[in-house]
Amino acid sequence: MRHERQNPNSRNFGLRSRDISKAGLNALKEDIKSFSSISTMHGRWNRFCSWLKTEHQIKDMRDITHEHLQEYSSHLSERCNQQNLSASTAQNYMSAVNRVMEIARGDRTVHVAPVVEGNLPKRSGIAKTNKSVSHDVHAKSLIALTPRTAALLELQRELGLRFEESAKLDAQKALHEALQHGYINIKDGTKGGRLRTVPVQNDAQFKALRLATTFQNGRSMIAPGQSYKQFKQDAYNELKSLDITFHAERHHYAQTRYQTLSNIACPAASGIKHSFEHYRYIANTLNISLKEAKDLDHHARMQVSQELGHGRIDVTNSYLG
């Protein structure tokens, strides 16, 4: 039985519940006949609701904006890159959110196309475009950002750190490790607390670490008087007006390391498909056999995967192509 909304302008667009999750369920019931489809989509909507309450403390659908959906899509994209979520599942999650918001609002104003606009990987998981931040865009972004956020961006670009890893980095300790051993240990802010080492071998990396030490607060880069959540929100707000994302700097690191390790540009940078065509390109460019080319590619991808904090080589597809 379908119910007419008494007041579409009231809380949760008048969807007969003050609870955002139940309001989403009622929206789905207005437009979808299949019980199983409603149940599946409501489960996906619930995931978004949980994320929304944690990250933004939002409890009313009227407060959800296009920017919130874009940020959620970035969250899903990060999980895909960490191999915690498949591309198809992430797209399904995003599509469910779009559908609920469209029914609730009666328009598509708050809607994010999963791949084209939301930057989610296609279902193959192999990057078809270069998502790395160019030198010019990076340089312009540094000027536009506050110095502390700019320092974080440098850490992510030069050392391949996730946002949380860069925010929680003890830069002074890391710099000491780099000078003593030629690498740094990354543990704080990693997924699952898994320790990994990242090589520090060039001037740009040492420069990024030295810059970070000037903004260090206690044992992290988090601004004084802020929680990590507050600090993250402010940093992400800074980037909204720029043509850049934090995660795109990890793409730069991955591609640069691949080229350093293999002496060849990765598929995403060269425009050559990740296939036999790429192996032949490596073999011809470096004057080696196809088997040697395949082995070289595999070794470089494995090393990049480890330095990014992943346990599987196929995760590099989304970074390198």
Side-chain angles (χ1 to χ4, degrees), residues 258 261-262 278-279 282-283 286 288-303 313:
Y258 180 91
L261 293 163
S262 67
H278 180 60
Y279 298 140
I282 296 174
L286 301 180
I288 59 178
S289 69
L290 275 174
K291 182 182 184 307
E292 289 172 322
K294 290 180 181 180
D295 290 343
L296 182 62
D297 175 77
H298 179 85
H299 169 75
R301 286 175 182 272
M302 183 63 74
Q303 186 64 31
I313 193 171

Side-chain angles (χ1 to χ4, degrees), residues 11-12 17-25 42 45-46 48-50 52-53 58-62 64 100:
R11 180 174 175 136
N12 288 325
S17 178
R18 293 181 61 81
D19 179 78
I20 194 169
S21 172
K22 292 180 181 178
L25 175 61
H42 184 233
W45 170 254
N46 272 340
F48 173 66
C49 293
S50 296
L52 200 61
K53 290 175 182 177
I58 289 177
K59 299 179 180 180
D60 187 338
M61 294 172 75
R62 294 175 299 174
I64 300 173
V100 171

Side-chain angles (χ1 to χ4, degrees), residues 246-260:
F246 287 116
H247 192 72
E249 296 288 15
R250 293 229 312 158
H251 283 260
H252 170 84
Y253 177 84
Q255 294 183 17
T256 301
R257 279 297 285 156
Y258 180 91
Q259 179 141 13
T260 299

Side-chain angles (χ1 to χ4, degrees), residues 133-177:
V133 181
S134 71
H135 174 77
D136 288 345
V137 171
H138 176 74
K140 291 177 182 177
S141 299
L142 293 181
I143 296 172
L145 295 169
T146 59
R148 186 183 296 273
T149 304
L152 290 185
L153 209 65
E154 288 281 69
L155 290 173
Q156 293 152 21
R157 183 178 184 84
E158 301 302 336
L159 298 166
L161 305 187
R162 299 181 178 94
F163 177 85
E164 186 172 354
E165 292 166 350
S166 65
K168 295 181 178 180
L169 182 70
D170 185 335
Q172 294 171 3
K173 180 180 178 181
L175 179 59
H176 177 74
E177 287 178 340

